[in-house]
């Protein structure tokens, strides 16, 4: 099967996420009942109030808004990284139940593609060889999930997978601070930036200052900084 390319789609999110988070915050600071607070939130723009709440560091209220993404065209190598973010829910295409006997998609790193057509052809041949090994082991092990389960051990990290992932807004801010950074691995960085673009469309106030740590202070990478804080601030400021 051919090389696969990244595709990120926002499947669902909390309706009116900013109003939901603003209502949660007002619950903390008001003696009014929920009906009165709901009316206030609906009648009056909550942007200024919510920005103040976020600036104060009262981020727990952002946990009331969740976002669910479909992610395709990413590698099993990326899967090993993204699942380290534990305050999230993941559903992943199973190599145990889904047979790849007809072929598997794969991700070709940009640095390999930059080496030219011969390097890409060599990489593709290696993928074809692993596909052949996979089918051979399926045949030896017999058909069914048991054969898939063990034959998959010869599949590469480059093998494509599909993920459905849900995070709340607070965890997304943390995720973006780490994975949008220039020092993040290239594949998860590209995915994180596509996710952030979608979040900004739905909830511009919550994600106004979202991005790598250098956007809101000194680079947290210290001596390992990429040295491009100014360029990063411009990039994420203009992101749409």
């Amino acid at each position: 099967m051919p090389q696969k390319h990244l595709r990120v789609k926002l499947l669902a999110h909390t309706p009116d996420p900013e109003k939901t988070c603003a209502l949660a915050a007002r619950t903390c600071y008001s003696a009014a009942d929920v009906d009165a607070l709901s009316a206030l939130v609906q009648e009056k723009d909550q942007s200024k109030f919510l920005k103040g709440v976020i600036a104060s560091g009262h981020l727990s209220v952002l946990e009331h808004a969740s976002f669910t993404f479909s992610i395709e065209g990413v590698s099993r190598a990326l899967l090993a990284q993204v699942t380290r973010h534990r305050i999230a829910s993941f559903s992943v295409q199973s190599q145990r139940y889904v047979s790849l006997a007809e072929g598997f998609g794969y991700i070709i790193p940009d640095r390999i593609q930059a080496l030219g057509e011969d390097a890409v052809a060599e990489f593709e041949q290696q993928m074809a060889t692993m596909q052949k090994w996979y089918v051979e082991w399926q045949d030896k092990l017999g058909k069914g999930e048991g054969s898939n389960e063990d034959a998959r051990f010869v599949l590469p990290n480059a093998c494509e997978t599909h993920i459905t992932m849900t995070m709340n807004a607070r965890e997304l801010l943390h995720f973006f601070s780490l994975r949008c950074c220039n020092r993040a691995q290239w594949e998860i960085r590209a995915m994180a930036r596509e996710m952030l673009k979608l979040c900004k469309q739905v909830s511009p106030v919550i994600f106004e200052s979202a991005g790598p740590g250098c956007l809101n202070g000194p680079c947290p990478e210290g001596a390992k900084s990429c040295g491009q804080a100014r360029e990063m601030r411009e990039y994420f400021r203009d992101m749409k």
Side-chain angles (χ1 to χ4, degrees):
M1 294 180 69
Q3 178 190 6
K4 295 295 184 178
H5 298 281
L6 175 66
R7 183 183 179 215
V8 180
K9 183 177 181 180
L10 182 58
L11 295 178
H13 58 82
T14 299
D16 294 324
E18 294 181 351
K19 290 182 178 179
T20 298
C21 294
L23 177 59
R26 288 191 179 279
T27 301
C28 301
Y29 304 126
S30 175
D33 63 22
V34 66
D35 293 330
L37 291 177
S38 295
L40 173 62
V41 167
Q42 292 300 324
E43 293 169 3
K44 185 178 179 181
D45 180 50
Q46 298 299 300
S47 298
K48 183 177 180 180
F49 171 73
L50 190 56
K51 286 180 181 181
V53 170
I54 294 172
S56 74
H58 189 182
L59 301 184
S60 63
V61 299
L62 303 184
E63 296 173 20
H64 296 289
S66 65
F67 297 76
T68 299
F69 302 87
S70 170
I71 302 164
E72 298 177 325
V74 293
S75 69
R76 301 289 292 197
L78 178 142
L79 178 64
Q81 295 182 78
V82 74
T83 50
R84 293 173 186 168
H85 293 270
R86 298 171 187 173
I87 307 177
S89 298
F90 302 94
S91 297
V92 182
Q93 184 184 62
S94 172
Q95 289 182 342
R96 181 183 185 191
Y97 294 107
V98 178
S99 173
L100 301 178
E102 298 302 317
F104 61 85
Y106 49 82
I107 312 305
I108 304 179
D110 289 345
R111 292 182 66 187
I112 291 178
Q113 294 193 63
L115 295 176
E117 293 181 0
D118 290 346
V120 170
E122 180 182 355
F123 187 90
E124 291 176 337
Q125 181 57 51
Q126 291 169 346
M127 296 300 104
T129 298
M130 293 180 195
Q131 172 67 32
K132 178 175 176 290
W133 293 341
Y134 174 83
V135 172
E136 288 174 350
W137 280 114
Q138 276 192 322
D139 291 341
K140 291 176 182 178
L141 293 166
K143 300 301 180 182
E145 68 181 60
S147 64
N148 295 341
E149 183 173 62
D150 292 336
R152 65 180 171 169
F153 275 69
V154 300
L155 293 174
N157 270 342
C159 188
E160 184 221 8
T161 193
H162 304 171
I163 307 170
T164 298
M165 178 174 69
T166 300
M167 287 185 179
N168 67 54
R170 184 183 190 179
E171 177 60 15
L172 279 168
L173 290 177
H174 173 66
F175 175 79
F176 293 143
S177 73
L178 298 176
R179 302 302 185 174
C180 287
C181 175
N182 271 350
R183 285 187 47 77
Q185 187 264 350
W186 64 268
E187 188 181 15
I188 199 169
R189 181 176 68 239
M191 183 190 79
R193 291 181 179 183
E194 290 302 308
M195 291 169 58
L196 178 53
K197 290 176 184 177
L198 295 171
C199 287
K200 280 179 171 286
Q201 293 172 15
V202 171
S203 188
V205 172
I206 290 176
F207 296 100
E208 181 179 34
S209 299
C214 62
L215 300 190
N216 303 299
C219 174
E221 294 292 323
K224 295 182 179 180
S225 171
C226 71
Q228 296 180 311
R230 181 175 60 82
E231 291 85 349
M232 288 298 95
R233 289 166 189 155
E234 292 176 355
Y235 174 84
F236 285 93
R237 181 196 62 201
D238 298 335
M239 176 182 279
K240 297 180 180 179

